[in-house]
Amino acid sequence: MPLNRRTFLERSAAAGAGAALAGALVEPAAAAPGKGGEKRYSFTVMGTTDLHGNVFNWDYFTDREFDDKAHNDVGLAKISTLVEQVRAAKGRRNTLLIDAGDTIQGTQLSYYYAKVDPITARRGPVHPMAQAMNAIGYDAAALGNHEFNYGIPVLRKFQEQCDFPLLGANALDAKTLRPAFPPYSMHRLRTPCGRDVRVAVLGLTNPGIAIWDKANVSGKMVFPGLEEQAAKWVPRLRSMGADVVIVSAHSGSSGTSSYGDQLPYIENAAALVAEQVPGIDAILVGHAHTEIPEYRVKNKETGRDVVLSEPLKWGQRLTLFDFGLVWRKGRWVVETVGAQVLNSNTVEEDPEIVKLLGDEHEKVVAYVNQVIGTSTAAMSTADAPWKDEPIIDLINHVQAETVKAALAGGAYAGLPVLSQASCFSRTAKIPAGRVTIRDAAGLYPFENTLEARLMTGAQLKDYLEYSARYYVQTPAGAPVDTAKLTNAGGTPDYNYDAVYGLTYEIDIARPAGSRIVNLSFEGEPLDPAARFVLAVNNYRASGGGAFPHVAAAQQLWANSDEIRNTIIQWVQAKGTVDPAAFASVGWKLTRDGVPVFQAAS
């Protein structure tokens, strides 16, 4: 029987939650006498991060069960099963469960309850992520940057609906500079020897919020650096009697930033916190969407290892921090720390979570399958990372038309409007025939909004040169393997922009910084002094990706509606999507003037 939303839920609900984790778990934690009569106790802290609105192992953009090349599974329903198995093996009283942020944005499920049937409405629903995390029994969660995407009122309502604290020691009220959210939570674990273990969880979020969600937080909250706030709070937690200090940080471990020098703080600072701030035992890492089972960083002051772990995004992995403590000189001392990750594709979904949120799932599936128009041709992003494809032109065309309409009759109405767009997903498609909300929304999985910025021809040239770093330098005559052509220097697909309205070539035989050739506008070489309006998403306009000039450029207009909604509304208004009306080959890859990919005959 083909899998649909109902058979998916029925199958998931019927599946047991008892798949074994062979060899992954140890005997239940306990206190036991050690050498010289020392008492020992072990416990486990479980962690997730970057759940991004995933409750079920379901892809709302494809309307079927989630799957990828590695056959990973996603969602809190799977995590719940793993958590219960760990609790059964260790003893529930010997475990904690925490999260490192980016919880309420990312799927159409989370979008639906922020925008379509919002939790902020009078007598509004309880957010599915709050329902699931409450049912599973989370003890604490750090704030992620995407928590702020829908505005502070939605975040505050979500916070109210959670039975656990949302932590953010470096999310401060802009006026008082006091924490706008609880900085930490303190947990007591009862041991068989009568001496409780006090575990402090310090939550740290990402300073980039000040840039990426400027419209939502400017004048309301500020976000200082993670190292600074950890150095402030860790000693306090120790003085308050914390035997163990764990940091839940929505910050990667690479020590890099994607917003250039616009803020004096590091975006991915988790390893720096471990290295620079004494008194931390472990850090649950988030934000970077990478898998780190265990990473040890030596603290410069104490010489002790701090154990870091980052479980893979969307509920694909569950981190386990295993702590071994010994009672010495009237207090508990951390003796050992280790980390590992469990794979959620080894278990079935928890039928209790499936039952709890089955109705919400059905509502969202019905919503995303609404037909909003028709397309005269099929379009795909499969080749969009290296070819100018009509499906990306569609995004750009809608953005350019929207900005032109917004500026009509004003001082800048006479300027030409260009547009930037990225290939956010290599599997997005618009089918020939009926187009649904999920088809259109699949082009734009992020909650970005649209802006108009004033740029010169010279600035646009710099912008394009920066974007073209995305390609691996490939000499003329050498074979071109598309599997190895893109993402040079770790540049993600969403940080490669195609600019619509100009024509240009990218010579991938040349070094980065000197690749843009034959750059022209309306058939003439681009005038460096000419002025243009660039339709650009708020992430890029706020400095995301550290593209030159755009963040400092004059803002002419901004919209609060998500670009994906703008695309949906455009398709609804037009009724028919015809690539012939907007698609053209504005850019191409070349080597010494020879196209890398020949045009179809």
Side-chain angles (χ1 to χ4, degrees):
M1 181 172 62
L3 185 68
N4 58 38
R5 59 184 178 274
R6 185 162 297 282
T7 57
F8 162 75
L9 287 171
E10 290 171 352
R11 191 182 74 181
S12 298
L21 298 176
L25 305 178
V26 298
E27 292 300 311
K35 296 179 181 179
E38 289 179 330
K39 293 180 178 179
R40 284 181 164 78
Y41 174 69
S42 59
F43 70 96
T44 297
V45 176
M46 298 172 280
T48 54
T49 191
D50 296 278
L51 293 168
H52 283 288
N54 285 280
V55 172
F56 298 114
N57 188 44
W58 191 263
D59 186 340
Y60 293 97
F61 292 131
T62 62
D63 200 26
R64 56 178 173 265
E65 195 169 2
F66 176 88
D67 196 24
D68 62 12
K69 291 180 180 178
H71 301 298
N72 288 303
D73 288 345
V74 301
L76 278 169
K78 291 263 182 174
I79 289 296
S80 183
T81 301
L82 289 176
V83 166
E84 288 309 307
Q85 290 184 349
V86 173
R87 286 170 174 162
K90 308 278 187 175
R92 186 181 182 111
R93 66 192 294 174
N94 303 314
T95 65
L96 293 171
L97 175 60
I98 64 176
D99 183 79
D102 275 6
T103 304
I104 60 171
Q105 174 277 334
T107 64
Q108 287 292 285
L109 180 73
S110 53
Y111 176 82
Y112 186 89
Y113 287 98
K115 292 289 189 177
V116 181
D117 186 11
I119 61 174
T120 49
R122 188 167 178 244
R123 297 180 181 176
V126 178
H127 199 290
M129 295 301 287
Q131 291 191 60
M133 295 174 82
N134 290 342
I136 295 168
Y138 273 77
D139 294 289
L143 293 165
N145 54 284
H146 283 289
E147 259 66 84
F148 295 84
N149 285 174
Y150 295 118
I152 292 174
V154 169
L155 174 54
R156 288 299 190 192
K157 188 63 177 180
F158 176 70
Q159 179 187 26
E160 177 186 315
Q161 294 176 343
C162 291
D163 294 340
F164 52 91
L166 298 183
L167 308 178
N170 61 328
L172 310 181
D173 181 274
K175 294 180 180 178
T176 66
L177 297 184
R178 293 177 179 174
F181 293 85
Y184 65 89
S185 58
M186 191 75 78
H187 309 269
R188 286 181 177 266
L189 299 177
R190 294 195 169 186
T191 72
C193 62
R195 301 283 189 173
D196 291 352
V197 171
R198 286 163 291 189
V199 181
V201 179
L202 178 68
L204 296 170
T205 193
N206 205 286
I209 295 167
I211 289 177
W212 304 321
D213 267 300
K214 182 178 179 180
N216 290 328
V217 302
S218 181
K220 300 173 184 177
M221 293 185 192
V222 294
F223 303 88
L226 283 82
E227 307 100 304
E228 168 194 322
Q229 294 300 303
K232 173 182 177 180
W233 284 101
V234 171
R236 291 189 187 184
L237 296 174
R238 289 293 184 182
S239 69
M240 291 164 61
D243 301 299
V244 180
V245 173
I246 301 166
V247 174
S248 183
H250 194 74
S251 179
S253 62
S254 65
T256 61
S257 290
S258 68
Y259 43 70
D261 58 359
Q262 296 181 74
L263 288 176
Y265 313 117
I266 299 296
E267 176 183 350
N268 296 301
L272 295 174
V273 171
E275 180 184 75
Q276 297 175 13
V277 181
I280 298 170
D281 297 297
I283 300 179
L284 177 65
V285 178
H287 183 62
H289 289 202
T290 58
E291 181 177 347
I292 305 174
E294 182 183 87
Y295 174 39
R296 292 179 178 268
V297 176
K298 195 171 294 294
N299 183 266
K300 284 185 174 180
E301 183 173 324
T302 66
R304 294 182 62 231
D305 280 354
V306 181
V307 176
L308 283 65
S309 181
E310 182 177 3
L312 200 58
K313 65 186 185 297
W314 305 346
Q316 295 178 57
R317 304 288 187 273
L318 176 71
T319 277
L320 305 187
F321 290 106
D322 292 309
F323 291 86
L325 277 63
V326 61
W327 181 262
R328 285 183 188 150
K329 298 179 180 179
R331 67 188 184 93
W332 287 109
V333 177
V334 175
E335 195 171 40
T336 61
V337 186
Q340 61 177 312
V341 295
L342 304 182
N343 194 328
S344 66
N345 73 5
T346 63
V347 297
E348 298 292 342
E349 294 190 318
D350 184 341
E352 292 301 317
I353 302 299
V354 173
K355 180 180 178 181
L356 178 68
L357 292 165
D359 288 346
E360 286 83 349
H361 174 76
E362 290 277 4
K363 285 181 183 179
V364 175
V365 169
Y367 163 72
V368 299
N369 279 289
Q370 293 178 47
V371 175
I372 55 174
T374 60
S375 178
T376 62
M379 295 179 281
S380 166
T381 57
D383 292 336
W386 48 84
K387 291 182 182 178
D388 188 350
E389 290 288 288
I391 198 166
I392 304 298
D393 287 344
L394 172 60
I395 299 172
N396 273 320
H397 181 70
V398 171
Q399 292 181 163
E401 277 203 349
T402 302
V403 168
K404 285 177 185 176
L407 298 180
Y412 301 95
L415 293 180
V417 177
L418 312 176
S419 178
Q420 63 78 223
S422 304
C423 176
F424 294 120
S425 167
R426 298 192 182 194
T427 59
K429 297 177 182 178
I430 295 292
R434 298 194 309 171
V435 178
T436 64
I437 284 178
R438 67 180 172 85
D439 295 325
L443 297 182
Y444 226 104
F446 297 106
E447 264 63 43
N448 294 342
T449 58
L450 188 61
E451 296 190 16
R453 296 285 178 126
L454 186 63
M455 302 275 281
T456 68
Q459 290 174 332
L460 287 164
K461 171 73 158 48
D462 291 343
Y463 189 101
L464 289 170
E465 288 286 9
Y466 184 87
S467 184
R469 302 176 313 150
Y470 173 71
Y471 295 104
V472 174
Q473 188 173 0
T474 310
V480 175
D481 180 357
T482 55
K484 300 176 181 178
L485 177 63
T486 62
N487 308 103
T491 303
D493 290 350
Y494 62 77
N495 275 342
Y496 170 66
D497 288 357
V499 173
Y500 180 80
L502 300 175
T503 57
Y504 56 97
E505 298 172 11
I506 302 173
D507 191 332
I508 61 172
R510 298 185 180 188
S514 60
R515 291 178 169 175
I516 303 300
V517 295
N518 296 328
L519 178 58
S520 62
F521 173 68
E522 294 185 342
E524 298 294 332
L526 186 67
D527 179 357
R531 298 197 305 167
F532 296 87
V533 177
L534 180 66
V536 58
N537 69 55
N538 69 303
Y539 173 79
R540 187 71 76 237
S542 297
F547 276 61
H549 307 303
V550 65
Q554 181 182 350
Q555 184 190 78
L556 306 181
W557 172 83
N559 189 12
S560 62
D561 203 9
E562 289 88 358
I563 292 170
R564 72 163 63 139
N565 269 354
T566 303
I567 296 171
I568 290 167
Q569 292 160 8
W570 186 90
V571 174
Q572 286 176 316
K574 294 291 183 182
T576 300
V577 178
D578 182 3
F582 55 79
S584 62
V585 179
W587 63 273
K588 58 187 174 184
L589 302 185
T590 61
R591 290 182 295 183
D592 294 342
V594 179
V596 174
F597 303 102
Q598 300 299 324
S601 57

